[in-house]
Amino acid sequence: MKKIKRKQVAIIGGGLFMVGFLLILLGALLKQFWLVTIALLVLLAEIIFLVVFNRCPHCERYVGAGTYCPYCGKRLDE
Ligand SMILES: [Zn+2]
């Protein structure tokens, strides 16, 4: 699988989260619940994206936020 740099993963993941969050707000304000449905799909896509790509570049295991891998202890931004 093609690897994406963690910086890009953070940007894309954050972007998807913002879009989903704004759609939920917009849907709630306008009482357009199809917007909320789309927002939930966007957030679901964000979670899947993070699970797939938010991995340690050294041992390939899933990692959350942080500078060092909790599994192999190496820096995540190398
Ligand atoms: Zn690792």
Side-chain angles (χ1 to χ4, degrees):
M1 190 193 299
K2 190 175 178 293
K3 278 187 194 168
I4 303 181
K5 288 205 173 90
R6 278 182 55 81
K7 215 173 203 172
Q8 290 168 309
V9 171
I11 292 168
I12 297 168
L16 283 173
F17 178 78
M18 283 299 293
V19 169
F21 187 69
L22 286 174
L23 282 175
I24 285 180
L25 275 182
L26 207 63
L29 280 173
L30 302 175
K31 298 202 183 340
Q32 298 291 318
F33 289 104
W34 59 273
L35 277 175
V36 178
T37 309
I38 292 174
L40 291 177
L41 289 176
V42 170
L43 290 177
L44 192 69
E46 190 228 351
I47 291 167
I48 293 169
F49 173 80
L50 287 180
V51 168
V52 172
F53 289 106
N54 195 17
R55 290 179 182 272
C56 172
H58 307 285
C59 66
E60 306 262 308
R61 289 165 99 164
Y62 175 79
V63 289
T67 312
Y68 295 94
C69 173
Y71 302 104
C72 65
K74 291 179 181 165
R75 284 187 73 93
L76 294 171
D77 53 3
E78 278 175 1

